[in-house]
Amino acid sequence: MPDEIALELKNIRHAFGDTVAVDNFNIDVRPGEVVCLLGPSGCGKTTALRVAAGLENLQQGTVKVGGNVVADSSTNVPPERREIGLVFQDYALFPHLTVLQNVEFGLENMTAGERNIRAVTVLDQVGMKWAVSRYPHTLSGGQQQRVALARALAPQPPVILFDEPFSGLDARLRDQIRDETLHILKDSGTAGLLVTHDAEEAMFMADRIGIMREGHLEQVGKPEELYFKPSSAFVAEFFGEVNRLSGNVEAGVVNTPLGAFAAGDLEEGRKAEILIRPELLRLNGDVDAPGLCGRVITSRMLGRTSLIHLCLCEEVGIEVHLHSRMPGRYLPQEDQEIHIDLDPNQAFVFPLDSKS
């Protein structure tokens, strides 16, 4: 059913001694949906995942899988009975079992023949059918991760939990494996809950992202919602570098060396900060054009984009160091004067004394 929820965590609270790791945590994942928990180390995202899996005993709240309660104040279904697949950063394969035996391990309710057929099918799905008789230590990291995914998929669970599964891979292989994983999840209709500290990975994998901070969900939404409409400076900065300016609210705007920005609902006289993504600073060599003029400090080609370090020309009366990202190859010379164009409606304005 379209409205069915594959996994639901409701009002979860979990502490280690006096340290609260997760508090008032609520999230759900629907069939075929990938949800990412994104945040810095120590924010509680892995604890939330382990509570969902049953690897941490539930202290407060409710965990449901496929609409069925697997943990609450009176219920605690063990991990192996929760119909949840698990994929870990370190793969967690049994070294003394072959690839085929690793994948067959969780298929205890099938005959030997059925287990063999199912294991070979999912190994073929992840491109590892050729390795059925190999042992994990003979495989590369990427190959082991494919086997770990096959093992999680084999019992056909309604949801698979991923704990930073790609972080141990080199950059190029990481891109390839997560692309393959996303396609497999979408093809199978399996729900996925993925923990990561990598914002780009979350945006690549997720239908929705939950930004976590100090045990709480700071904001939940589609990647484009979090990127273009962050609820706080913390969320805005987590998706990449920002230029940061500050000023006071006067007559409904915040005046800065880059111009005036609408203050939204901030009260008069309030200190405010303005966050501007580097890609929103558009540069060109026409210094006679109306608007701001900057001076190039240095520029670097970074593949798909070029990063330009610049400062505003001296007439603004204050030293302001800015970064601009331009598409493709754009490498103005050091000390070159350059025109800066900015749409102030695309900047983020937050109270400066807020928790950012």
Side-chain angles (χ1 to χ4, degrees), residues 154-226:
Q156 297 179 287
V159 60
I160 296 180
L161 308 181
F162 298 86
D163 187 10
E164 307 236 20
F166 314 117
S167 60
L169 306 174
D170 65 71
R172 182 173 294 184
L173 183 58
R174 181 167 63 244
D175 291 346
Q176 178 186 345
I177 298 296
R178 68 187 183 191
D179 181 69
E180 293 171 355
T181 300
L182 179 60
H183 284 283
I184 289 169
L185 289 174
K186 290 301 182 182
D187 288 346
S188 66
T190 304
L193 181 64
L194 185 146
V195 160
T196 181
H197 62 272
D198 185 329
E200 181 178 330
E201 179 168 285
M203 296 184 77
F204 180 92
M205 293 291 296
D207 298 293
R208 287 186 296 133
I209 298 172
I211 299 282
M212 289 194 67
R213 184 183 193 187
E214 297 179 358
H216 295 85
L217 280 168
E218 185 96 352
Q219 186 176 357
V220 181
K222 296 179 180 179
E224 60 269 25
E225 293 171 350
L226 273 61

Side-chain angles (χ1 to χ4, degrees), residues 33-34 45 83 174 304:
E33 182 184 37
V34 178
K45 57 188 186 295
E83 295 187 305
R174 181 167 63 244
R304 293 187 296 268

Side-chain angles (χ1 to χ4, degrees), residues 136-150:
H137 73 274
T138 68
L139 304 177
S140 68
Q143 291 166 346
Q144 290 185 55
Q145 192 60 286
R146 288 187 179 97
V147 175
L149 177 59

Side-chain angles (χ1 to χ4, degrees), residues 285-303:
D286 184 7
V287 293
D288 295 326
L292 288 168
C293 178
R295 179 177 60 82
V296 175
I297 298 173
T298 190
S299 54
R300 295 288 186 270
M301 179 70 179
L302 301 179

Side-chain angles (χ1 to χ4, degrees), residues 227 240-241 243 277-283 300-310 322-328 330:
Y227 191 84
E241 177 193 6
N243 295 294
R277 300 200 187 281
E279 62 266 28
L280 299 183
L281 295 182
R282 313 300 295 175
L283 308 179
R300 295 288 186 270
M301 179 70 179
L302 301 179
R304 293 187 296 268
T305 63
S306 296
L307 176 64
I308 299 90
H309 299 249
L310 65 152
L322 302 168
H323 287 174
S324 169
R325 279 187 182 266
M326 295 288 286
Y330 186 83

